[in-house]
Amino acid sequence: MHSSAHEELTHIIGIDRGDQHWRLEAVCAGHPDPDLWFAPPRLASHRQALAHCQRCPVRQDCLDDAVDCRATEGIRGGLTGEEINQLVLFRRDQPDWARIRAVLLGRRISLTEPEKRAMVRVAQMVGIPWEVWSPALGIGYKAAAKRRRRADRDLEIIPEHEREDESALAEELRVMVAASLAVAA
């Protein structure tokens, strides 16, 4: 793309999508049925599109582009539009890890919704039971079960390299739990 045309497009859409030549290497680029990537979730064609994405050499580039553009229609980078939306929210709503740590250690602090979601993901990673963290959210068993399912789904969707802060907090808590168990024994 001509440089001034690229700058004009960047100005119009509000983001610089960079070099898009990776698209030529995509499995879907020359596929005879592009509608495959927009099939309803319960159809075999939806599963076929996901399988194509799993072996695509530019899957991460595609996913990054979809998240940057907030493209939540169809399948991009091996994820559905709903899953891409989860990544968009994750990247936008970075929580305060010190507040989450404090809540998981028993302090009563009012958390934002993104912090609540992150706290449950960390609790799931460490194996902290719902009875420990649910009072901080003011919820019971059913709501905690729903949050745990969402956290498990998020942990499958959000790449590990984007959850470094979460993983660091989870590891810190694991060490603390192990140390307290050793002292108790």
Side-chain angles (χ1 to χ4, degrees):
M1 178 181 287
H2 183 320
S3 178
S4 63
H6 175 79
E7 289 171 11
E8 184 177 335
L9 182 60
T10 299
H11 176 72
I12 292 170
I13 63 174
I15 58 172
D16 182 359
R17 293 179 70 189
D19 181 13
Q20 295 286 300
H21 282 92
W22 59 265
R23 291 176 176 267
L24 299 173
E25 298 174 38
V27 170
C28 61
H31 197 277
D33 184 14
D35 291 337
L36 194 69
W37 280 263
F38 296 92
R42 291 182 182 84
L43 297 180
S45 51
H46 178 84
R47 290 187 299 279
Q48 285 178 326
L50 287 171
H52 284 303
C53 286
Q54 293 303 316
R55 67 175 197 277
C56 185
V58 293
R59 179 179 175 199
Q60 191 60 53
D61 292 320
C62 182
L63 181 57
D64 290 341
D65 186 61
V67 171
D68 290 344
C69 297
R70 295 182 173 92
T72 58
E73 297 296 321
I75 296 170
R76 301 267 318 265
L79 298 180
T80 65
E82 183 180 320
E83 293 168 332
I84 291 168
N85 193 47
Q86 290 295 93
L87 270 177
V88 168
L89 292 174
F90 174 79
R91 288 184 181 175
R92 184 191 72 199
D93 300 330
Q94 287 302 303
D96 181 335
W97 297 105
R99 292 165 44 85
I100 292 170
R101 181 183 186 280
V103 169
L104 287 170
L105 293 175
R107 287 203 43 218
R108 290 283 193 173
I109 298 173
S110 181
L111 299 175
T112 66
E113 186 56 35
E115 288 171 339
K116 290 175 183 178
R117 288 193 310 265
M119 182 193 68
V120 177
R121 286 192 303 268
V122 170
Q124 288 293 93
M125 291 165 59
V126 177
I128 299 171
W130 71 275
E131 296 92 348
V132 172
W133 54 262
S134 63
L137 303 183
I139 60 175
Y141 173 76
K142 284 186 179 182
K146 185 176 180 180
R147 284 193 178 267
R148 286 194 327 262
R149 284 191 300 274
R150 181 176 182 174
D152 289 340
R153 194 170 54 246
D154 286 352
L155 290 170
E156 290 175 8
I157 294 169
I158 302 166
E160 270 192 56
H161 70 273
E162 294 196 28
R163 293 187 288 111
E164 290 175 356
D165 292 333
E166 261 179 31
S167 297
L169 178 56
E171 187 56 34
E172 176 187 343
L173 292 171
R174 272 190 208 103
V175 169
M176 290 173 74
V177 167
S180 67
L181 290 176
V183 168

